[in-house]
């Protein structure tokens, strides 16, 4: 297929929404000789929906691309900085968020007028049923498929585009009102069947968008699907009457009944955005743009932003390849466009997914007080961080930090952070508190679990070192763990340690099956206690089907070339084709293994460890029982989730019985197998509830590594949503782990109540004093440095203060992103 075009002469945009209109005008502005045609099925002034919202940053992008249309939009925009949250009779308002709103009809009219001024041909009231025939009619060299969410073109060529459409759980209705809100307003109302929320914002002098959303089960329970549109609107008016000040709610989709008027949001992702089609003997690219290519949930206000920025990026790609539209390698242009945009769109869609799930699961957070509920809402996408909130509204954030600090210090009786009975497990019990001029950032708040007091919320993850000899740890481990104990973290965890020789992952992994091993560990525990204020814990686990493998820097999870030892597992299922087939455990094997775990637990207690964790994740022995992909047993230890958890629970109970009652025990689980037929986050909540009932104090929430078929979706803090679910649904403390790289991440996680501890791995390998250094960047002085290092501390604080005075504070997230 020869797709080289000597010149781009004719562009056809099918769909006259923001993407098609804006791309048309941008290309005509840059290349006036082009013939650009936009075909739209509706009339010029028809529109659906009410207003759209952007961040201030989006307007800057528009100003760069076409100052004239950007100025017309700016003149029509309503700008506001505040977000206001109404919840359980309370109200929280913060500022500095930087939103702009405009009526959708006004936006389209501005783009239409700009197209006409530039000479773009606009064709209205033309319903395109055959894109190929239309492309042939206009002899198009390039077709833009900007025909919206229900794109016919995407459907026609779906074998190329490979769309993935996920219809979300909530029903929502897009309404308007003449009540003008002076802030982006989120209002939450509880009914006898569940929660409704409204998203409201002003977009012109006398009109606001008013979106009402609720889970489908709640929507059905109220019978809204059987109501007329008028009755459905009346229901919403009554429910949100206190916010409307006597104003009515309006719909501009008058032909729809209640069930059609309330829709479920379809999340659209396409594997590729370009299809090549032979049109009249010429290979013509048909390029998806806007909602036809991707969608982002309205709760982050990015759908129109993405459409307009699609247009900007494709126009920029043409400019990069040719100044006059001639001599173009169309393949290179479109390849560049897809590569650039797919990354940016993925970022927004990941944020939108987090935001969508937050609103789908409002019930999960309704145990929180309004202060934390609002913080959780503002940071729900994980693109808005703790420090970006400080840039927006430092006064409000400092007040929230003081609120958190007071709860951590005084540990009041349960007031809703978790729906549990007894003590407030969200904030532990009374713990040491050092008053300071400024409140402590969330990651430096203390936490008490049973009788163990942690000075802050940072944990050094258990990280395999492969430096033990016959299971005995040595000087390397003393250096590794000791350095991190004096580095500021509250809890330092020893890597997974086996109760039997055959339970090691590699020949260099530690064990705790004899007294020599226990004595070596006691040396490290004593050093930690005598030279730092950190606590030290040990993670006990058996490798199961993933044992007898090479060191991590050789080939992770790959079998030894020689010297293999026999493996045990729930079933005779190897971790991979190249791995050894384990023997399925008999009842006698299970009893013997439980006894080995108990003996190791007793040795760990005698060695003085403060914390004990049971490893039931990552495809190791106990995880192999829990995961349905590796447990094929037909006895009482296979089948249902409860049965698959039975043996791990037996082991935990036996360990808990001999572990000192005043010391905490946690369990690491894989909250998502990331593979078809595996455990899901729903299962993780149930697993956590089972361990909680058995006396577990905290769930260390990891994911994956249970099968080679796993396909995780990575990203910063990508496992934190699982910790969030477990914590706030199962009502148990959680530890978040996975791509937590900086204090801003940890502060956001703790501040939002998504987890109670943050386990940091790789950053601690690069910097043993990671916690001290991150605290220094925040100018947080309520951190204990080792006395020999005090002069270094003072110099570091002075240098950071100097750099911040020169360059200003910096944060990792874009402070102009919408929430």
């Amino acid at each position: 297929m020869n797709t080289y075009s000597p010149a781009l002469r004719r562009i056809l945009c099918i769909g006259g929404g923001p993407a098609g209109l804006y791309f048309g005008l941008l290309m005509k502005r840059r290349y006036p000789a082009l013939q650009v045609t936009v075909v739209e099925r509706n009339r010029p002034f028809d529109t659906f929906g009410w207003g759209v919202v952007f961040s201030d940053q989006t307007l800057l992008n528009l100003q760069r691309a076409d100052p004239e249309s950007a100025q017309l939009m700016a003149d029509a925009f309503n700008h506001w900085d505040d977000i206001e949250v109404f919840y359980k009779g309370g109200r929280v308002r913060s500022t500095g968020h930087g939103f702009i709103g405009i009526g959708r009809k006004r936006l389209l009219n501005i783009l239409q007028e700009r197209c006409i001024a530039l000479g773009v041909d606009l064709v209205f009231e033309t319903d395109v049923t055959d894109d190929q025939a239309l492309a042939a009619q206009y002899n198009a060299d390039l077709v833009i498929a900007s025909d919206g969410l229900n794109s016919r073109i995407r459907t026609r060529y779906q074998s190329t585009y490979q769309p993935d459409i996920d219809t979300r759980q909530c029903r929502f209705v897009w309404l308007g009102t003449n009540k003008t809100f002076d802030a982006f307003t989120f209002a939450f109302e509880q009914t006898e069947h569940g929660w409704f929320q409204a998203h409201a914002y002003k977009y012109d002098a006398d009109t606001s968008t008013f979106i009402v959303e609720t889970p489908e089960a709640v929507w059905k329970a109220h019978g809204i699907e059987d109501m007329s549109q008028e009755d459905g609107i009346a229901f919403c008016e009554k429910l949100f009457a206190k916010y409307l000040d006597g104003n009515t709610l309006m719909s501009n989709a008058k032909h729809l009944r209640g069930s059609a008027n309330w829709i479920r949001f379809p999340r659209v992702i396409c594997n590729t955005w370009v299809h090549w089609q032979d049109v009249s003997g010429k290979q013509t690219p048909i390029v998806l743009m806007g909602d036809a290519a991707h969608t982002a949930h309205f709760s982050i206000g990015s759908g129109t932003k993405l459409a307009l920025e699609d247009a900007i990026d494709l126009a920029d790609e043409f400019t990069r390849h040719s100044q006059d539209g001639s001599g173009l390698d169309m393949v290179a242009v479109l390849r560049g466009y897809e590569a650039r945009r797919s990354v940016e769109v993925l970022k927004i869609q990941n944020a939108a997914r987090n935001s969508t799930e937050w609103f789908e699961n409002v019930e999960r957070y309704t145990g929180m007080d309004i202060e934390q509920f609002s913080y959780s809402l503002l940071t729900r996408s994980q693109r808005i961080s703790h420090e970006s909130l400080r840039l927006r509204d430092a006064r409000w954030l400092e007040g929230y930090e003081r609120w958190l600090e007071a709860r951590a210090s005084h540990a009041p009786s349960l007031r809703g952070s978790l729906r549990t009975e007894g003590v407030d497990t969200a904030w532990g019990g009374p713990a040491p508190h050092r008053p300071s001029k400024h409140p402590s950032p969330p990651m430096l708040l203390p936490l008490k679990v049973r009788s163990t007091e942690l000075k802050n919320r940072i944990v050094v993850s258990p990280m395999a070192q492969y430096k033990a000899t016959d299971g005995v740890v040595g000087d390397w481990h003393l250096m590794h763990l000791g350095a991190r104990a004096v580095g500021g973290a509250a809890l330092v965890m020893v890597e997974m340690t086996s109760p039997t020789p055959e339970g090691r992952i590699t020949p260099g992994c530690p064990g705790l099956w004899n007294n020599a091993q226990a004595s070596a560990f006691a040396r490290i525990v004593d050093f930690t206690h005598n030279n730092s204020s950190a606590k030290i814990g040990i993670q006990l686990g058996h490798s199961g089907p993933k044992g007898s493998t090479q060191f991590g820097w050789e080939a992770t999870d790959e079998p030894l070339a020689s010297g293999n030892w026999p493996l045990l597992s729930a079933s005779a299922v190897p971790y991979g084709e190249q791995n050894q087939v384990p023997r399925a455990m008999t009842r006698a094997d299970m009893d013997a293994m439980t006894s080995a775990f108990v003996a190791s637990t007793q040795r760990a207690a005698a060695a003085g460890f403060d914390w004990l964790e049971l490893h039931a994740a990552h495809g190791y022995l106990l995880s192999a029982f829990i995961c349905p992909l590796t447990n094929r047993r037909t006895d009482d230890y296979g089948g249902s989730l409860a049965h698959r958890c039975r043996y791990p629970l037996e082991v935990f109970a036996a360990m808990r019985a001999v572990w000192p009652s005043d010391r905490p025990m946690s369990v690491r689980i894989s909250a998502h197998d990331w593979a078809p037929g595996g455990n899901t986050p729903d299962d993780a909540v149930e697993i956590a509830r089972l361990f909680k009932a058995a006396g577990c104090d905290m769930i260390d929430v990891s994911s994956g590594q249970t099968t080679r078929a796993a396909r995780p979706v990575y990203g910063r803090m990508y496992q934190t949503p699982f910790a969030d679910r477990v914590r706030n649904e199962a009502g148990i403390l959680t530890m978040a782990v996975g791509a937590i790289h900086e204090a801003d991440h940890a502060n956001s996680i703790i501040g939002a109540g998504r987890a109670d501890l943050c386990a940091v791995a790789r950053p601690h390998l690069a910097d043993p004093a990671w916690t001290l250094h991150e605290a220094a960047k925040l100018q947080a002085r309520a951190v204990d440095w080792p006395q020999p290092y005090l002069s270094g501390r003072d110099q570091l604080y002075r240098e950071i203060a100097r750099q911040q005075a020169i360059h200003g504070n910096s944060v990792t997230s874009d402070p102009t992103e919408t929430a």
Side-chain angles (χ1 to χ4, degrees):
M1 178 178 66
N2 180 12
T3 54
Y4 179 84
S5 172
L8 176 66
R9 298 186 179 91
R10 290 167 290 274
I11 297 175
L12 172 64
C13 299
I14 301 177
L21 290 169
Y22 200 52
F23 181 71
L25 74 86
L26 290 180
M27 291 299 286
K28 189 67 174 176
R29 180 177 185 269
R30 298 182 189 197
Y31 310 114
L34 279 176
Q35 179 183 325
V36 182
T37 305
V38 180
V39 178
E40 166 60 34
R41 65 181 176 180
N42 296 308
R43 295 172 299 178
F45 297 100
D46 285 349
T47 188
F48 302 97
W50 293 87
V52 295
V53 62
F54 302 136
S55 68
D56 285 345
Q57 180 63 44
T58 302
L59 182 57
L60 294 177
N61 294 338
L62 301 178
Q63 289 170 340
R64 178 186 64 81
D66 180 36
E68 291 85 353
S69 60
Q71 186 59 54
L72 292 171
M73 294 182 207
D75 292 342
F77 276 134
N78 278 272
H79 182 277
W80 69 96
D81 286 317
D82 292 1
I83 290 178
E84 194 162 40
V85 180
F86 294 92
Y87 163 77
K88 289 186 175 179
R91 169 182 167 273
V92 166
R93 188 175 181 120
S94 61
T95 193
H97 301 286
F99 295 109
I100 45 181
I102 186 172
R104 179 174 171 82
K105 180 183 291 187
R106 181 66 183 124
L107 174 65
L108 292 179
N109 292 161
I110 288 171
L111 297 179
Q112 290 162 2
E113 291 165 7
R114 183 74 177 129
C115 281
I116 292 170
L118 289 167
V120 175
D121 294 328
L122 302 183
V123 180
F124 293 100
E125 299 183 70
T126 300
D127 191 12
V128 179
T129 57
D130 187 345
D131 58 279
Q132 293 181 29
L134 196 68
Q137 176 185 333
Y138 286 95
N139 194 21
D141 302 308
L142 170 66
V143 176
I144 299 297
S146 51
D147 54 340
L149 176 62
N150 300 308
S151 170
R152 290 173 176 170
I153 297 174
R154 185 185 65 222
T155 301
R156 183 175 189 178
Y157 306 118
Q158 60 184 337
S159 61
T160 298
Y161 298 130
Q162 300 178 46
D164 175 8
I165 302 176
D166 176 23
T167 303
R168 301 304 306 180
Q169 299 173 17
C170 280
R171 290 275 180 172
F172 71 96
V173 61
W174 202 291
L175 303 172
T177 179
N178 293 128
K179 162 66 185 291
T180 52
F181 294 89
D182 64 350
F184 198 117
T185 300
F186 295 101
F188 298 85
E189 288 295 321
Q190 186 177 22
T191 71
E192 65 271 28
H193 299 299
W195 287 83
F196 285 76
Q197 55 259 7
H199 312 236
Y201 55 89
K202 181 177 69 171
Y203 65 82
D204 64 25
D206 55 9
T207 323
S208 297
T209 295
F210 199 92
I211 304 170
V212 179
E213 182 184 26
T214 190
E216 184 168 32
V218 178
W219 178 76
K220 285 185 174 181
H222 281 282
I224 300 175
E225 63 181 323
D226 298 321
M227 294 181 186
S228 66
Q229 185 183 98
E230 292 74 16
D231 288 343
I233 291 176
F235 173 88
C236 294
E237 284 179 355
K238 181 178 179 181
L239 183 61
F240 292 100
K242 70 177 74 171
Y243 311 105
L244 295 171
D245 297 337
N247 289 279
T248 61
L249 293 174
M250 306 173 287
S251 173
N252 59 14
K254 301 184 184 303
H255 61 290
L256 299 177
R257 286 187 57 79
S259 58
N261 202 26
W262 291 73
I263 63 174
R264 293 167 62 194
F265 186 85
R267 191 274 291 129
V268 176
I269 297 175
C270 290
N271 187 56
T272 185
W273 300 353
V274 181
H275 171 78
W276 290 87
Q277 181 63 40
D278 189 319
V279 178
S280 300
K282 177 175 63 176
Q283 287 293 321
T284 304
I286 303 174
V287 183
L288 296 179
M289 188 176 286
D291 282 352
H294 46 68
T295 59
H297 193 259
F298 57 83
S299 63
I300 66 167
S302 293
T304 305
K305 162 194 167 71
L306 287 176
L308 296 174
E309 291 180 349
D310 282 354
I312 293 172
D313 270 19
L314 182 51
D316 285 350
E317 201 66 35
F318 276 104
T319 301
R320 270 189 286 274
H321 284 77
S322 173
Q323 292 302 311
D324 61 1
S326 63
L328 284 166
D329 182 345
M330 192 73 78
V331 169
V333 170
L334 298 179
R335 184 182 294 128
Y337 163 68
E338 191 173 80
R340 286 167 54 84
R341 284 306 293 159
S342 60
V343 172
E344 293 306 309
V345 168
L346 181 61
K347 292 177 183 177
I348 294 293
Q349 287 191 315
N350 285 341
R353 181 194 64 238
N354 293 334
S355 178
T356 303
E357 292 181 354
W358 194 94
F359 283 105
E360 288 175 340
N361 296 282
V362 165
E363 177 70 29
R364 180 186 302 162
Y365 306 104
T366 55
M368 294 179 174
D369 292 328
I370 189 172
E371 292 86 352
Q372 190 167 47
F373 181 87
S374 299
Y375 183 99
S376 177
L377 185 154
L378 291 174
T379 60
R380 66 193 181 278
S381 71
Q382 293 189 178
R383 286 177 68 87
I384 302 299
S385 71
H386 194 75
E387 290 306 310
S388 63
L389 286 176
R390 193 182 309 281
L391 287 181
R392 295 168 184 227
D393 193 342
R395 180 179 178 184
W396 174 82
L397 186 66
E398 183 167 320
Y400 180 64
E401 288 178 331
R402 291 194 185 283
W403 182 84
L404 282 178
E405 190 171 55
R407 287 179 62 90
S409 302
H410 304 301
S413 60
L414 185 67
R415 293 176 56 195
S417 287
L418 290 176
R419 293 185 294 277
T420 55
E421 296 179 357
V423 300
D424 183 351
T425 53
W427 302 103
H433 172 54
R434 291 179 289 275
S436 62
K437 180 179 179 182
H438 299 289
S440 296
M443 65 173 262
L444 297 182
L445 294 175
L447 177 71
K448 182 176 180 182
V449 186
R450 296 197 182 232
S451 294
T452 298
E453 295 181 348
L454 301 180
K455 60 184 179 182
N456 60 52
R457 304 303 182 96
I458 302 301
V459 177
V460 176
S461 292
M463 293 175 284
Q465 300 297 296
Y466 312 109
K467 286 287 191 175
T469 303
D470 296 327
V472 179
V473 296
D475 289 347
W476 177 270
H477 296 85
L478 177 64
M479 178 278 299
H480 168 70
L481 296 167
R484 284 146 188 86
V486 300
L491 176 63
V492 178
M493 293 295 298
V494 175
E495 65 202 89
M496 190 177 91
T497 301
S498 175
T500 70
E502 299 77 19
R504 291 173 294 164
I505 306 168
T506 75
C509 290
L512 196 48
W513 63 80
N514 62 43
N515 292 336
Q517 295 160 346
S519 178
F521 274 127
R523 174 179 174 232
I524 295 172
V525 171
D526 288 344
F527 177 89
T528 300
H529 288 161
N530 293 333
N531 293 280
S532 79
S533 56
K535 305 299 182 184
I536 185 166
I538 188 168
Q539 185 187 71
L540 292 179
H542 188 288
S543 60
K546 295 177 71 174
S548 193
T549 58
Q550 301 176 47
F551 295 163
W553 54 76
E554 295 174 335
T556 302
D557 296 330
E558 297 301 312
L560 294 169
S562 61
N564 283 282
W565 56 80
L567 306 181
L568 292 174
S569 188
S571 302
V573 178
Y575 181 63
E577 291 183 1
Q578 64 270 52
N579 294 91
Q580 185 184 153
V581 177
R583 178 170 61 83
M585 294 182 76
T586 65
R587 179 68 260 181
D589 292 330
M590 294 161 69
D591 291 341
M593 188 63 66
T594 301
S595 296
F597 269 105
V598 167
S600 292
T601 300
Q602 291 171 319
R603 290 190 175 97
F609 281 104
D610 304 296
W611 192 290
L612 178 63
E613 180 163 286
L614 177 61
H615 203 321
H618 298 172
Y620 297 127
L621 180 66
L622 300 183
S623 172
F625 273 87
I626 297 172
C627 176
L629 301 174
T630 51
N631 185 337
R632 299 177 183 173
R633 301 177 74 98
T634 57
D635 60 7
D636 290 343
Y637 295 90
S640 69
L641 179 62
H643 283 192
R644 299 197 309 273
C645 289
R646 181 171 290 179
Y647 181 60
L649 288 166
E650 287 179 2
V651 172
F652 177 86
M655 294 168 66
R656 179 74 265 184
V658 299
W659 182 247
S661 61
D662 61 337
R663 300 185 208 175
M665 273 191 71
S666 57
V667 176
R668 172 168 281 197
I669 67 169
S670 284
H672 196 328
D673 288 332
W674 298 105
N679 284 323
T680 68
D682 289 341
D683 298 314
V685 174
E686 294 306 312
I687 293 167
R689 286 175 175 147
L690 291 170
F691 277 107
K692 177 185 176 184
C696 178
D697 299 297
M698 179 175 288
I699 300 294
D700 180 355
V701 186
S702 187
S703 71
Q705 304 179 55
T706 56
T707 170
R708 288 186 186 268
R711 297 294 180 267
V713 178
Y714 294 108
R716 61 180 179 179
M717 302 179 283
Y718 73 103
Q719 295 178 147
T720 297
F722 307 141
D724 184 345
R725 280 205 64 182
V726 169
R727 179 186 190 271
N728 291 298
E729 290 186 25
I732 186 171
L733 296 169
T734 60
M735 188 186 308
V737 63
I740 300 170
H741 299 307
E742 55 192 52
D744 209 18
H745 297 165
N747 283 327
S748 301
I749 291 168
I750 303 302
R754 296 187 175 97
D756 303 276
L757 294 175
C758 289
V760 178
R762 289 177 177 85
H764 272 130
L765 291 179
D767 181 3
W770 181 87
T771 305
L772 295 180
H773 294 155
E774 290 297 297
K777 293 175 186 176
L778 299 173
Q779 292 291 295
R781 294 186 173 273
V783 181
D784 55 332
W785 282 63
Q787 288 182 328
Y789 294 173
L790 291 180
S791 61
R793 177 202 68 181
D794 295 340
Q795 180 178 347
L796 176 63
Y797 273 78
R798 284 194 297 270
E799 177 59 22
I800 289 174
R802 188 180 73 85
Q803 292 294 329
Q804 290 179 345
I806 295 172
H807 303 293
N809 291 318
S810 63
V811 294
T812 57
S813 57
D814 182 354
T816 59
E817 280 291 341
T818 60

